[in-house]
Amino acid sequence: MVARRDLGELVVEAARGDDYALFTRLRDEFAFAQVMDICGVDFPERAARFDVIYNLLSVTRNERVRVVVQVADSVSLTSVSSLWPSATWWEREVWDLFGIPFEGLADHRRILTDYGFEGHPLRKDFPLTGYVEVHYDDEQKSVVYDKVKLTQEFRNFDFLSPWEGMTTLPGDEKARGDRK
């Protein structure tokens, strides 16, 4: 475990496996009674690909702490929802958007993406266009999921500003005194 001050805020880097004991101690001994946010960061080039960041608040101490836990792809973290029930929402969001599972989390339903959504959109290797596109089909009278078709028409783009070819702009006649 490594602790440092970053921009005046305490940052603790905890090892996976030691994190739950640290969270229990932070809640019980140091009065960090609220989890404000849980989010993820993707570093695909690292072996422990993800950082899961817990932002905790102690109202009585008027202090915040950020706990960073590194985790590899497809490796689960212990859920902190038993310590802070509001963490359920944040853990579901991290699972939905990054694919990081939480052991002990009672509800692993998607929270921000559609139920049939494939993949996890905040991973850096997720395609920018997604895998499917959704539209309403008037003939079928329902929402239709189609595979993404990336069609690119070849165009000749004129990169000049539309203003560069104009010698007289609207309103110039007033500045020159040619008013009628």
Side-chain angles (χ1 to χ4, degrees):
M1 182 178 345
V2 178
R4 68 180 189 281
R5 286 252 176 221
D6 190 9
L7 300 172
E9 187 174 287
L10 181 62
V11 178
V12 178
E13 295 179 15
R16 190 187 147 274
D18 299 336
D19 57 340
Y20 192 80
L22 172 67
F23 291 129
T24 304
R25 188 164 181 219
L26 285 171
R27 186 195 66 178
D28 297 342
E29 293 179 33
F30 296 100
F32 285 95
Q34 294 180 0
V35 58
M36 301 305 293
D37 183 29
I38 301 173
C39 56
V41 182
D42 187 8
F43 298 97
E45 66 281 353
R46 290 190 332 202
R49 178 177 179 166
F50 300 104
D51 280 355
V52 178
I53 298 135
Y54 299 80
N55 293 304
L56 308 176
L57 173 68
S58 172
V59 177
T60 57
R61 298 167 54 98
N62 192 24
E63 193 170 2
R64 293 178 182 268
V65 65
R66 182 181 328 136
V67 180
V68 180
V69 181
Q70 291 186 1
V71 63
D73 195 10
S74 301
V75 176
S76 66
L77 287 173
T78 304
S79 173
V80 295
S81 60
S82 60
L83 299 173
W84 299 287
S86 64
T88 303
W89 179 276
W90 301 112
E91 289 175 348
R92 282 180 63 189
E93 185 177 298
V94 170
W95 174 80
D96 188 12
L97 299 177
F98 289 96
I100 301 167
F102 288 89
E103 187 178 317
L105 180 62
D107 192 359
H108 268 99
R109 288 178 298 150
R110 293 212 179 252
I111 198 165
L112 294 174
T113 57
D114 194 21
Y115 295 116
F117 193 86
E118 292 179 25
H120 304 282
L122 288 185
R123 288 182 175 216
K124 289 186 179 174
D125 56 359
F126 188 79
L128 293 178
T129 58
Y131 298 109
V132 295
E133 58 187 5
V134 180
H135 63 90
Y136 182 78
D137 190 351
D138 279 330
E139 293 176 8
Q140 296 181 14
K141 301 289 185 213
S142 68
V143 175
V144 177
Y145 293 86
D146 290 329
K147 291 199 182 265
V148 173
K149 299 178 197 95
L150 299 176
T151 56
Q152 175 64 43
E153 297 177 10
F154 293 97
R155 301 181 180 108
N156 293 324
F157 290 102
D158 179 12
F159 294 105
L160 295 176
S161 168
W163 301 107
E164 290 177 8
M166 297 182 72
T167 56
T168 306
L169 296 175
D172 282 352
E173 67 278 356
K174 295 177 189 172
R176 289 193 307 252
D178 323 354
R179 288 192 232 178
K180 295 188 182 183

